[in-house]
Amino acid sequence: MQFPESWLREFCNPPLTTTQLADTLTMAGLEVEELQPVAPTFHGIVVGEIKSAEQHPNADRLRVCQVDVGQPELLTIVCGAPNARVGIKVPCAMVGAELPPGEDGKPFLIKIGKLRGVESFGMLCSAREMKLSEDHGGLLELVNDAPVGQNMRQHLNLDDTLFTLKLTPNLAHCLSVYGVARELSALTGVPLKTPVFPVAPVTASDVLPVKVSAPDLCGRFSGRVIRGLNTQAKTPAWMVDRLARCGQRSVTALVDISNYVMFELGRPSHIFDLDKIQGGLDVRWGQPGEQLKLLNGNTVTVDSQVGVIADAVQVESLAGIMGGDATAVSDATQNVYVEAAFWWPKAIAGRSRRFNFSTDAGHRFERGVDPELTVEHIERITQLIVDICGTPQTQCGPMDDQQVAMPAKQSVTLRIARASKVLGMPLTQAQCAKALMGLGLPVVEGDGVLTVTAPSYRFDIQIEEDLVEEVARVVGYDNLPATPPQAPITAKVRPEARRGEFAVRRAVAALGYQETINFSFVDERWEHELAGNPNPIKLLNPIASQMSVMRSSLLGSLLQVLKFNQDRKAQRVRVFEIGRVFLRDASVTNSDTTVQGFSQPMRVAGLAMGACDAPGWGEKERAVDFYDVRGDLQALLAPVQATFVAAQHPAMHPGRCAKVVVHGVEIGFVGELHPKWRQSYGLNQVPILFEVDLDAVLAREVPRFKAVPKFQAVERDIAVLVDERVTHDALMAAIWQASVDGVLRDALLFDIYRPKSSALAAGQAAEKSMAVRLTLNAREEAALTEAQIEAAVAAVVATLAEQLGARQRV
């Protein structure tokens, strides 16, 4: 909210400088976001009156003016403005004056000049030349009673400051100059000048029939008829100036009056053209399909969730938001109906955003506007209308005030001990009572407690903490003590057997993957197709239709990133994400970090598509495959040895998918994307994906010292014939289970041979030859003997024969 300092000081004028005033408001919760001067620095400009304006002898577009600036002699000034004429009063920059800097950043100095042979002793100024506005259509015309020779900064009050406040939603009572002044009075103790609302004499009996059909929309509706107005009257300069300094442009006199009272008192209102209303008014909820052309030119379609004001024929206004074009006042208007109402905040909240616009009225009504002062504020509007637009034929009708459903007054109790505990400072009952009464809150004192009945304009006071906040605002947030924590603060030490998340991120990035960060809200289709989750956790208020559920897998997000990159011609994509997934789990209870019924584990997932390596001249390009990604996963888990077991996953190829097992616990999956999902998502290459629990990746074995063997290792190769179904993992498990007296250091499969089909006898089961290189070394202080070597190899062969039915190739 923006307003000039001078207007605020008319209601409350504490002995504070502008900066001190801004600090006082900010430390009370009314954050002053910006202080801006009304006009830039300039001097030497005074009020001048044009006494004569004759055509320049040598230029068609120039006039030679004689200007009275309050000096004994008139000044001769050559001017090219189209509105330079006799009798008007305009800003006159005399010789030696300094105008605001131009585009070059240098101030503009006024000197004696000669234009087409005629000397000019000054310059007549437009608003743009004084940097007051962008209007450059002619000279800035001043009011007729402007004192000749008066300094322009004094005449236009240009040494004023614009305050821009950033208010939180609970400070709706401060959305007006008077509301801010009321707070300032409580903070400084300076008396508040309360506005007086004179009652307009009733000179006519006209009453417009009004029916409030929706008490849950409108709690109070007040209005009056005013006839015989001159709506073409010009808005006074002082009102135009104040509206401009509040960021509101002048429209017409009636519209300006309505806006002025809104900024002054926080009361949005509406003025109808009485002669355009057909029948009476009905305040009700809209009916589906009804349309309304608004004052901003938009045509909207309402429904039963939007409040309207309608006449006997059509909808005339969006309740509490914006009026309609059909009953808008114009230059031909003579009779008006002035309306001020109390709209329930919940009935207005969010309605304007449904139509993609917002208004000052809706902004105030959805936060709460005082329901008690509708009549008084109409009297204020009536006073301004009569003063500005009144004629000898002006007549005011009686006030029609319908109180249908006024909000009940609510009492809230404040415990002094509770306030002291929350604020962390000792407070007395007298301090709290003084603070609350200074804010205009009626207080009833008890034994250690204060009971406050919230005024009609304070919709934010509902619980005890609201009163604690009010006390803190008056005491001043800068006066709250800085109390250090009583408990010692120690950093949480990560166990040595666990690495940090950032170490995992760096490890995956080192493997050539790029990190992505995605929403936890995903498309419900992903959950059904990629996660096999028929009952995902749905959001009550999703931010978009395609983000309606919480994800139980990271794979959908990575596929979305892949599709985004593929659509932009990316041929090689390697991405990963570390994030949280959300699962239903009845065993989870409520705590500081958990929610009952829901498990929220962290996972790490990756995706690779395209070439295995960046293109190079030294080797042929090869597409990434299952084994490449499995190798990346093994490197990420190292030194822990993972086991990969063939498995099924909804998102992965049924024959190219494996579950990842560490220490007998399943931690995730790795595999190729299922062909039907590849086709469904329009992917031109095959992506390989993995997703594992982050906790399993964070765990690591603590390094232990082992002496380096002093003797050279011995290698022995063996080749065994096994059934085609025997896997590499089963072979290695059997080898390491062999009783070799601790001399086996490593085992490496280096060859697989399958005989041709014709070489197999009829009915013989398919076999394959698997060649393994064994590395043997002794632990003790001696080299291995031939007997020990042969015994170790024999033990391995015997174990393979016993567990896998293997036989050694000759």
Side-chain angles (χ1 to χ4, degrees), residues 734-749:
I735 292 175
W736 284 103
Q737 289 177 15
S739 177
V740 293
D741 296 331
V743 300
L744 181 62
R745 292 289 176 269
D746 191 19
L748 173 67
L749 176 68

Side-chain angles (χ1 to χ4, degrees), residues 483-520:
T483 306
Q486 297 180 357
I489 298 177
T490 56
K492 186 177 180 180
V493 180
R494 186 173 63 247
E496 190 178 2
R498 185 179 178 89
R499 56 181 169 178
E501 289 185 18
F502 284 102
V504 175
R505 286 185 167 90
R506 288 191 291 270
V508 184
L511 294 170
Y513 293 78
Q514 292 182 315
E515 185 176 11
T516 65
I517 300 175
N518 300 288
F519 278 108
S520 297

Side-chain angles (χ1 to χ4, degrees), residues 385-404:
I385 290 177
V386 172
D387 290 346
I388 297 172
C389 302
T391 66
Q393 292 76 36
T394 298
Q395 294 179 324
C396 295
M399 189 73 66
D400 179 25
D401 182 27
Q402 300 186 42
Q403 300 186 31
V404 182

